[in-house]
Amino acid sequence: ALLILLTLSLGGTGISKSTETGATYDSLRLFTEVLSIVQSQYVDEVPPKELIYNAVKGALRGLDSHSSFLDPDMYREMQVETTGSFGGLGIEITLKDDVLTVVSPIEGTPAHRAGIQSGDRIVKIEGIATKDMQLIEAVKRMRGKPGTKVTISIVREGLLEPRDFTLTREHIRVHSVRSQQLEPGIGYIRVRQFQEQTANDLEVELEKLTRNGPVQGLILDLRNDPGGLLTSAVEVTEKFLEDGKLVVYTEGRVRNQNMRFTARAKKIYSGFPIVVLVNQGSASASEIVAGALQDWNRAIVLGTQTFGKGSVQTIIPLSDGSGLRLTTAKYFTPKGRSIHGRGITPDIIVEPPKMVAATDPGKQAVETSPEEALKKDVQLQRALDLLKAMKILEKSRSVPANPQAQIR
């Protein structure tokens, strides 16, 4: 889910009906009654703060899979999520149907090298069942000092029973963008994650490609990109859209959650076709970019259905150093499509071949560059063929008609 980091609390909704106020007080009376009984009669003495924390955790868990209460330690842990540097395994996770699920492994990390896949369900961490485990707690258990090991148990379609993966934590440095020229005039850019510097890094890579001559076609690879910052998604998208065009908008109950983001880039890269690659591991910020470029007919989206992670989480600090991660809005593409729970449907569906990892993750080949992967990557190959065909069509349109030509 997309993150908006706030340093002030949300305003009220303006609801002041006496009946609703009365119902709230009745519920609070019930809560204090239960709290009092637990404090006086539970078999073990429990500190009041622990009881309150657990109660708040339960309340937020009942809202949706992305809302959660963060104790002070977890709140500090949350603050490293968007910095692009931390100690861990390199897995982006979410709760899907109340099951801890891998959105995507981050390329080049221990999880990626071990063959962890998008859609894998993590049922245990160090032997502890993840059922009813908060998302941020699971993240905390998997992160740790580089060089230490952690074992996770995975359930996957095609595996008859859960499989244990013992991974060594590393200092994860996510380099969010890389590029390569596939053929003369055709560039390839891979965005791994949407961080604070991603848009700047993207511009650097685009400039590199233009040094080799005019760009005649671009493949923007967002596969297995779990997303990140909303602002980063907007900044990346606006590199390819005309000034003033809507990129994404959000809608929530509170007025300050209803936002519209339009293109305002200083430099626009236009005049060439784009193919955006997506798959099940493309989520949140990736879906914003793909959806906006698709809605404005700026790009052809190719691959498989995306993850469908289309809600905005606001991080709200609390007085004791804890915080709330609260779902406050859903986002929509320029044409008003809600992606939450649905995802982006590609213009061209191209399924990847069945992977060896479905039965034996240890045998999965990890590709390191588009050049090496090209012959095996059917989605990338289709995108390249499509751009080459468009180049040929463009050339044919530019050939002046010969009035002397005759049909024979």
Side-chain angles (χ1 to χ4, degrees):
L2 296 174
L3 296 180
I4 297 179
L5 305 178
L6 295 188
T7 56
L8 47 92
S9 61
L10 293 177
T13 60
I15 297 173
S16 59
K17 296 178 181 178
S18 59
T19 54
E20 294 185 3
T21 302
T24 299
Y25 280 120
D26 286 342
S27 299
L28 287 174
R29 189 178 301 115
L30 174 63
F31 174 76
T32 56
E33 182 181 351
V34 172
L35 188 65
S36 177
I37 293 171
V38 171
Q39 283 184 303
S40 62
Q41 299 185 33
Y42 183 65
V43 64
D44 296 320
E45 186 175 348
V46 183
K49 191 170 187 178
E50 184 178 334
L51 280 176
I52 296 296
Y53 274 17
N54 287 335
V56 175
K57 287 177 183 178
L60 289 167
R61 186 183 295 127
L63 297 177
D64 63 69
S65 61
H66 301 299
S67 296
S68 59
F69 173 73
L70 313 173
D71 63 32
D73 288 341
M74 289 182 175
Y75 181 66
R76 287 191 293 271
E77 186 76 19
M78 169 62 74
Q79 291 175 317
V80 309
E81 277 199 1
T82 59
T83 63
S85 179
F86 50 87
L89 307 178
I91 310 176
E92 173 78 11
I93 58 175
T94 189
L95 286 171
K96 191 171 186 178
D97 299 325
D98 295 323
V99 178
L100 195 63
T101 304
V102 175
V103 176
S104 175
I106 299 171
E107 190 174 331
T109 63
H112 183 248
R113 293 194 297 269
I116 302 296
Q117 297 179 18
S118 174
D120 282 350
R121 290 165 289 166
I122 303 174
V123 294
K124 289 183 180 180
I125 303 172
E126 287 291 286
I128 300 173
T130 60
K131 181 176 171 56
D132 297 326
M133 186 179 290
Q134 282 193 85
L135 190 64
I136 193 67
E137 182 183 350
V139 170
K140 186 177 179 181
R141 289 183 180 277
M142 286 190 286
R143 286 182 180 164
K145 186 177 179 181
T148 59
K149 295 182 182 295
V150 62
T151 299
I152 60 176
S153 300
I154 294 291
V155 170
R156 177 187 302 164
E157 184 179 354
L159 295 179
L160 300 179
E161 58 185 20
R163 177 174 296 223
D164 288 345
F165 289 78
T166 299
L167 307 175
T168 301
R169 297 181 177 97
E170 293 181 2
H171 193 68
I172 307 297
R173 299 179 186 273
V174 183
H175 301 287
S176 63
V177 184
R178 65 176 171 85
S179 71
Q180 183 167 332
Q181 187 175 39
L182 297 180
E183 291 192 6
I186 297 181
Y188 169 94
I189 290 182
R190 168 89 170 100
V191 180
R192 296 182 178 94
Q193 198 174 36
F194 288 84
Q195 304 166 2
E196 293 176 0
Q197 294 299 314
T198 298
N200 291 335
D201 293 343
L202 175 70
E203 186 156 351
V204 169
E205 298 303 323
L206 284 166
E207 290 300 314
K208 283 183 184 177
L209 291 174
T210 58
R211 291 188 202 126
N212 299 318
V215 176
Q216 298 173 314
L218 177 68
I219 297 173
L220 182 61
D221 193 348
L222 302 181
R223 293 174 298 177
N224 295 320
D225 183 331
L229 295 174
L230 173 60
T231 50
S232 178
V234 174
E235 290 167 356
V236 166
T237 307
E238 67 184 2
K239 301 291 184 188
F240 307 108
L241 291 182
E242 295 174 10
D243 188 63
K245 284 194 171 181
L246 181 64
V247 175
V248 65
Y249 67 94
T250 64
E251 289 185 351
R253 288 178 61 206
V254 181
R255 184 178 299 174
N256 64 6
Q257 292 296 319
N258 296 332
M259 298 175 284
R260 295 172 66 86
F261 299 86
T262 55
R264 290 287 185 269
K266 293 180 180 178
K267 183 172 183 179
I268 301 171
Y269 295 84
S270 59
F272 55 84
I274 301 173
V275 176
V276 177
L277 297 180
V278 296
N279 64 4
Q280 183 189 3
S282 306
S284 76
S286 297
E287 293 171 298
I288 282 182
V289 175
L293 296 180
Q294 186 182 51
D295 276 6
W296 288 113
N297 297 317
R298 180 64 184 91
I300 296 171
V301 179
L302 184 150
T304 56
Q305 194 79 10
T306 61
F307 194 86
K309 196 176 179 186
S311 59
V312 177
Q313 275 65 52
T314 301
I315 307 301
I316 307 170
L318 301 176
S319 58
D320 68 342
S322 60
L324 296 182
R325 176 185 174 123
L326 190 67
T327 300
T328 53
K330 293 180 180 179
Y331 71 79
F332 297 81
T333 70
K335 288 187 177 179
R337 292 183 292 159
S338 174
I339 299 169
H340 192 59
R342 304 173 188 173
I344 293 290
T345 301
D347 299 298
I348 302 174
I349 302 290
V350 178
E351 296 283 349
K354 295 294 182 181
M355 300 178 69
V356 175
T359 55
D360 189 352
K363 292 183 180 180
Q364 181 181 1
V366 178
E367 306 293 351
T368 58
S369 73
E371 192 173 69
E372 295 173 4
L374 182 57
K375 292 182 180 179
K376 298 178 183 178
D377 190 336
V378 295
Q379 294 171 332
L380 183 58
Q381 185 66 60
R382 283 287 297 276
L384 181 58
D385 289 343
L386 182 59
L387 288 175
K388 288 161 69 175
M390 294 172 79
K391 280 178 62 179
I392 293 171
L393 287 173
E394 185 63 30
K395 284 183 179 179
S396 67
R397 292 193 192 101
S398 64
V399 175
N402 183 359
Q404 303 300 323
Q406 295 182 358
I407 298 176
R408 296 180 182 273

